[in-house]
Amino acid sequence: MADTTKTATLTLDGKTYELPVLKGTIGPDVIDIRKLYGEADVFTYDPGFTSTAATDSAITYIDGDKGELLYRGYPIEQLADQSHYLEVCYLLLYGELPDKAQMADFEMRVTKHTMVHEQMQYFFRGFRRDAHPMATMVGVVGAMSAFYHDSTDISDPWQREVAAIRMIAKLPTIAAMAYKYSVGQPFVYPKNALSYAGNFLNMCFAVPAEDYVVNPILEKAMDRIMMLHADHEQNASTSTVRLAGSSGANPFACIAAGIACLWGPAHGGANQACLEMLKEIGTVDRIPEYIAKAKDKNSGFRLMGFGHRVYKNFDPRAKVMKESADEVLDLLGIHNNPLLQVAKELERIALSDEYFISKKLYPNVDFYSGIILEAMGFPTSMFTPIFAISRTVGWISQWKEMIADPTQKIGRPRQLYIGQTRRDYQDVTSR
Ligand code: ACO
């Protein structure tokens, strides 16, 4: 974070305050208000953090107006086209692309950590079979801190590193176990010979009774979904992980908090909500009814998979995901699927409708990822767990960055109090 000589001046009650203006490497300047309360006795007000930077970070950059997403400076389109998920994990965690030896070592470390403690399966068995896999994941990932005591000391950089590798490696295993449990099939152990994405597909779709061969196109599509979701700077779940971590909570507890936040339909839960909406619409002729509902503020209905807090131009991840969706549907020979027809027509109408154009509401990444995952055979309840697997590396990279920062403080927002002023307690007989 480079300080500039630029300052902003605030005038309040006849007094002026000089506020330093900080400059990042790219992106808008940031007015530093850290001393404002001490000097002027006022807070700033920004619910939803629409204008507030809560941290500096060197991991991910988004330009929402241009529709640009960079991981450590590399454009997402280039990574999605030329890289693979574990290389992106390395990049996010350590800041640079690995050489061959570094990549091989990282892959080996992740692969050797994919099994979970055998005792953990009893945890799964404690849940109802119809539990949402996200509910199971919040519980089981939180419980990792009860199983891996040797990587919970956050003051030890080596333990932080081991916790990071463990979570990247074990999240697919945990998500697949949650799925297998929900469909009443035996858990499938990880296989070291498979790729990260291939192993996940195998753990979800293999059964002991017959061999499962991972289809390379589906494996590539899954790897891409993972790359595109790997990080997205200070979104709600990442900020949750940082806030939980700022109190010194152990990394497994912090990631469990991130998973809980991701679950909401305004965030990672949107991919499930979007597919359910497409099913509810059902046929192309009903789209105008739903478009009208989305425009009507009183209906409380929103087109799921449309809009984004930061992207006010096409979500660059959505462009790549759309290509992947076409590839997967082609491979699987799905052309006349009614769900897909509804999705395509909805996209066409929304992109040409004045309401959506003027509010800059474009299809987001979740609009297309749901279509791919449905075609692969995942139930909608697994969509958000797959997002959680993919985002784990982003959460843990951001958490590590925060913990390593010597100026890090506990996160503690302030408030504008609008409740009762001081009043005296009345005995129940006189109320
Ligand atoms: N359908 C209809 N109208 C919408 C939609 C939508 N999907 N999204 C936003 N709007 C409208 C709002 O009603 C609002 O209108 P107004 O200005 O007349 O009041 C305007 O667009 C701006 O919306 P906000 O809610 O202020 O935008 P915000 O940045 O807070 O919300 C969000 C972004 C939560 C993503 C929103 O667009 C939404 O709810 N989308 C649907 C859920 C979704 O797809 N979420 C996934 C996000 S991507 C991700 O997590 C990977």
Side-chain angles (χ1 to χ4, degrees):
M1 175 166 57
D3 287 24
T4 61
T5 46
K6 222 161 104 178
T7 55
T9 308
L10 172 75
T11 306
L12 188 70
D13 297 333
K15 279 193 184 165
T16 58
Y17 303 91
E18 294 297 316
L19 301 168
V21 178
L22 308 176
K23 210 171 188 50
T25 44
I26 27 176
D29 290 348
V30 170
I31 300 173
D32 180 352
I33 56 160
R34 279 174 292 182
K35 294 195 177 138
L36 187 63
Y37 175 52
E39 289 174 0
D41 200 24
V42 286
F43 297 142
T44 55
Y45 183 65
D46 185 19
F49 305 114
T50 51
S51 299
T52 297
T55 184
D56 50 59
S57 178
I59 301 175
T60 293
Y61 175 75
I62 303 172
D63 184 327
D65 293 325
K66 278 210 295 207
E68 179 175 65
L69 168 63
L70 309 176
Y71 290 166
R72 300 282 189 184
Y74 295 102
I76 191 66
E77 297 85 352
Q78 288 181 23
L79 293 170
D81 196 35
Q82 297 168 54
S83 185
H84 58 93
Y85 182 66
L86 280 186
E87 188 175 66
V88 163
C89 288
Y90 187 101
L91 175 67
L92 290 169
L93 271 174
Y94 307 114
E96 295 298 334
L97 286 168
D99 62 23
K100 269 190 172 172
Q102 288 166 330
M103 191 64 244
D105 173 64
F106 182 69
E107 263 171 339
M108 191 269 290
R109 283 190 290 143
V110 171
T111 309
K112 293 278 154 102
H113 277 95
T114 48
M115 282 173 67
V116 295
H117 194 293
E118 195 62 9
Q119 194 71 11
M120 283 187 101
Q121 57 171 288
Y122 297 109
F123 237 83
F124 285 88
R125 297 187 201 284
F127 286 96
R128 281 172 56 135
R129 290 268 177 199
D130 60 356
H132 194 289
M134 283 298 275
T136 312
M137 283 181 77
V138 172
V140 175
V141 173
M144 285 176 82
S145 45
F147 285 91
Y148 301 104
H149 296 144
D150 57 347
S151 49
T152 53
D153 177 0
I154 64 161
S155 64
D156 176 352
W158 175 244
Q159 292 201 28
R160 298 203 295 265
E161 173 69 18
V162 174
I165 298 289
R166 277 189 170 139
M167 273 186 278
I168 294 166
K170 294 184 200 306
L171 258 286
T173 314
I174 290 172
M177 287 171 84
Y179 171 57
K180 285 299 200 189
Y181 184 71
S182 72
V183 291
Q185 292 181 5
F187 297 135
V188 174
Y189 287 106
K191 262 195 182 159
N192 286 1
L194 296 174
S195 71
Y196 188 87
N199 177 48
F200 175 62
L201 290 173
N202 188 65
M203 288 189 294
C204 289
F205 296 124
V207 286
E210 61 185 36
D211 287 337
Y212 172 80
V213 181
V214 179
N215 181 313
I217 297 202
L218 299 188
E219 183 181 6
K220 187 175 155 212
M222 178 54 72
D223 191 84
R224 255 190 179 176
I225 289 179
M226 289 171 166
M227 274 194 279
L228 295 175
H229 286 89
D231 194 45
H232 215 228
E233 51 116 311
Q234 311 311 319
N235 57 85
S237 57
T238 303
S239 298
T240 301
V241 170
R242 279 186 177 262
L243 196 57
S246 77
S247 73
N250 77 68
F252 304 109
C254 297
I255 300 303
I259 295 173
C261 176
L262 185 75
W263 194 359
H267 192 9
N271 50 15
Q272 173 172 352
C274 176
L275 235 282
E276 282 163 359
M277 176 194 75
L278 294 178
K279 284 182 179 163
E280 190 187 310
I281 297 175
T283 47
V284 168
D285 58 301
R286 295 189 65 204
I287 293 176
E289 182 194 324
Y290 280 82
I291 296 266
K293 235 165 89 174
K295 291 182 192 173
D296 174 8
K297 285 251 173 305
N298 299 323
S299 72
F301 172 79
R302 285 185 169 200
L303 274 192
M304 287 291 133
F306 281 79
H308 197 277
R309 167 60 63 81
V310 180
Y311 294 118
K312 301 303 173 197
N313 196 325
F314 219 90
D315 177 341
R317 302 166 302 170
K319 274 189 198 158
V320 180
M321 203 65 97
K322 185 174 159 56
E323 280 170 31
S324 257
D326 290 340
E327 246 175 67
V328 168
L329 295 166
D330 252 10
L331 168 86
L332 300 174
I334 304 175
H335 298 291
N336 295 322
N337 177 309
L339 209 68
L340 191 68
Q341 283 172 353
V342 173
K344 291 219 153 136
E345 187 57 9
L346 187 64
E347 179 197 21
R348 194 192 63 76
I349 296 181
L351 288 177
S352 56
D353 187 294
E354 186 43 37
Y355 174 91
F356 290 88
I357 295 171
S358 64
K359 294 192 186 301
K360 300 183 175 171
L361 298 170
Y362 295 90
N364 58 47
V365 66
D366 291 325
F367 184 72
Y368 300 106
S369 64
I371 294 170
I372 301 178
L373 294 173
E374 160 94 4
M376 281 180 174
F378 283 104
T380 48
S381 60
M382 277 302 287
F383 294 4
T384 318
I386 291 168
F387 191 162
I389 297 172
S390 322
R391 184 55 59 82
T392 294
V393 69
W395 290 329
I396 203 86
S397 304
Q398 301 266 352
W399 173 83
K400 279 181 86 194
E401 179 179 65
M402 180 187 73
I403 299 294
D405 176 357
T407 65
Q408 181 257 324
K409 280 181 186 317
I410 186 167
R412 205 314 187 175
R414 308 305 291 246
Q415 65 171 11
L416 173 65
Y417 178 68
I418 54 166
Q420 296 283 354
T421 53
R422 188 193 159 102
R423 51 184 172 162
D424 290 325
Y425 180 81
Q426 305 282 318
D427 184 76
V428 70
T429 54
S430 52
R431 278 175 223 159

